[in-house]
């Protein structure tokens, strides 16, 4: 109704404009410019009306009756046409069109987010998005183009804020306040070995346990990945509690008004995601390549101003004995910032020390409960017998005599953003993942 009102209002404005003697082949420049301005203004108002759609209205429109529309349900329920390729191509296209809009509104509705994830998890749907029909390719011409346009739109105002924030978030500023990763003992040892610090520096791979006495070219990826994620599930809550305590203390101590720092916990990284990164980003790294997942436990921190964000980074770095890795995207080139749609976190990697040994940790009933829960939550893409075999290897590694006296630690990541970036990040998240 609002869109109709805007269009009617624009039409009325143009109808009231004075008549001119310009012809279609020789338009009056002033009239043409006025019409262009009117259409630009209408476009802005329309986009604003769409983006301001209340969450309940977006959910009701995209999930009529609280259920997926038929165009998405037939894929989720496995009822797509298997006899006519042309029909299937049309079904793909309309579902892809719906997915684009659902992804753009997913931040407004948990139910909508879950439904579009269900659709994108359908193997046959995602594997055939490159199917061509008379209107083009679904992935190239629908999903990729439109989702990128949405990300560019969301990132536009972040780009406008960059010139004011960047001088206050330089590498020099952070080095003076939180220190350099090069000063951390683990980082220094890794640099001496000609590499970056990884999880292998705190969670050694125990080859004989993983292989049952045999050896290959390093431990198998899934065995080490499971061990890393089991440990992550044990240490995540203590990590989040420590960060939350730092944020609370920071807000009380912040000069002037109360601090604006916020802490948003994230769940430990999933096995599928770790293995995807192992097979793509880290595939050429030394084995086990999953050691490069330094963010298996992570959280998001935000503050309103660059000055407060730096102070908050200083506080959390001090809590964990400095940073072992640092990535500041405010120092990225203009092209790199645009590639990230101007969402620029500062990522601190810290060592989360459990202040106990593996032997002591593994004897605790609460640890065994978390390991049991991890093993029960099997990834549906992994056959049960493979999951059982590899998680058993991982558990044996964590309980091995070789690790019994080793101090327990894991790398954790803190993503730090300005509050305005956090809001945009929330809107971008599902769109960017797709």
């Amino acid at each position: 109704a609002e869109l109709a009102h805007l269009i009617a209002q624009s039409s009325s404005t143009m109808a009231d404009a004075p008549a001119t003697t310009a012809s279609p082949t020789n338009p009056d420049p002033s009239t043409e410019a006025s019409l262009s301005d009117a259409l630009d203004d209408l476009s802005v108002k329309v986009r604003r009306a769409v983006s301001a759609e209340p969450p309940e209205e977006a959910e009701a429109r995209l999930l009529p009756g609280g259920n997926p529309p038929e165009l998405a349900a037939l894929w989720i329920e496995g009822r797509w046409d298997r006899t006519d390729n042309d029909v299937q191509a049309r079904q793909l296209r309309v579902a892809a069109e719906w997915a684009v809009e659902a992804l753009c509104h997913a931040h407004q509705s948990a139910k909508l987010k879950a439904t579009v994830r269900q659709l994108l998890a359908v193997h046959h749907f995602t594997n055939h998005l490159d199917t061509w029909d008379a209107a083009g390719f679904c992935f190239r011409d629908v999903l990729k183009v439109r989702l990128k346009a949405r990300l560019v739109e969301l990132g536009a105002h972040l780009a406008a804020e960059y010139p004011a924030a960047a001088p206050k978030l330089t590498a020099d500023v952070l080095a003076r306040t939180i220190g350099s990763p090069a000063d951390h003992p683990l980082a220094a040892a890794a640099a001496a070995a000609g590499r970056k610090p990884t999880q292998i520096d705190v969670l050694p791979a125990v080859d004989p346990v993983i292989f049952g006495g045999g050896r290959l070219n390093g431990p198998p990826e899934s065995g080490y990945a499971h061990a890393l994620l089991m440990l992550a599930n044990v240490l995540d809550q203590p990590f989040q509690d420590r960060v939350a305590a730092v944020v609370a203390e920071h807000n009380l101590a912040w000069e002037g008004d109360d601090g604006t720092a916020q802490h948003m916990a994230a769940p430990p990284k999933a096995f599928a995601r770790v293995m995807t990164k192992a097979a793509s980003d880290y595939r050429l790294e030394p084995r086990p390549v999953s050691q490069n997942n330094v963010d298996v436990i992570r959280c998001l921190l935000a503050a309103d101003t660059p000055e407060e964000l730096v102070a908050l980074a200083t506080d959390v770095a001090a809590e964990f004995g400095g940073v072992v890795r640092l990535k500041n995207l405010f120092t990225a080139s203009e092209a790199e910032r645009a590639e990230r749609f101007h969402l620029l976190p500062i990522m601190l990697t810290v060592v989360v020390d459990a202040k106990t040994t593996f032997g002591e940790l593994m004897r605790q009933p609460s640890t065994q409960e978390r390991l049991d829960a991890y093993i029960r939550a099997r990834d549906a893409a992994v056959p049960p017998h493979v999951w059982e075999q590899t998680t058993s290897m991982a558990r044996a590694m964590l309980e091995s005599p070789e690790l019994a006296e080793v101090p327990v630690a894991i790398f954790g990541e803190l993503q730090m953003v300005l509050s305005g970036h956090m809001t945009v990040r929330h809107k971008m998240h599902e769109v960017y993942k797709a």
Side-chain angles (χ1 to χ4, degrees), residues 66 109 118 243 285 309 340 399 415:
S109 163
Q118 276 186 292
V243 175
E285 298 293 331
L309 194 65
R340 296 186 58 88
E399 296 175 344
Q415 287 200 18

Side-chain angles (χ1 to χ4, degrees), residues 310-325:
V310 170
L312 181 60
T314 304
D315 292 341
V316 292
E319 168 67 20
F320 293 99
V323 296
V324 70
R325 292 172 71 163

Side-chain angles (χ1 to χ4, degrees), residues 245-265:
V246 171
V247 170
E249 186 175 347
H250 164 91
N251 282 337
L252 288 174
W254 185 243
E255 297 177 2
D257 297 332
D258 290 341
T260 64
Q262 300 178 64
H263 164 235
M264 283 66 62

Side-chain angles (χ1 to χ4, degrees), residues 261-274:
Q262 300 178 64
H263 164 235
M264 283 66 62
K269 214 167 194 176
F271 175 74
R273 182 61 178 159
V274 167

Side-chain angles (χ1 to χ4, degrees), residues 45 47 108 138 168 175 193 198 214 234 321 336 344 411 414:
K45 290 179 179 178
R47 286 200 305 273
Q108 296 180 295
C138 284
K168 302 172 183 178
T198 69
V234 172
E336 290 170 326
L344 308 175
F411 284 3
L414 302 107

Side-chain angles (χ1 to χ4, degrees), residues 157-158 161 260-264 300-304 343-344 415-429:
H157 82 273
L158 297 182
E161 295 175 356
T260 64
Q262 300 178 64
H263 164 235
M264 283 66 62
L300 181 68
L301 300 180
D304 283 1
L343 186 62
L344 308 175
Q415 287 200 18
M416 310 197 66
V417 297
L418 294 169
S419 299
H421 285 235
M422 181 183 68
T423 303
V424 173
R425 183 183 185 276
H426 180 56
K427 294 180 180 180
M428 281 186 176
H429 188 63

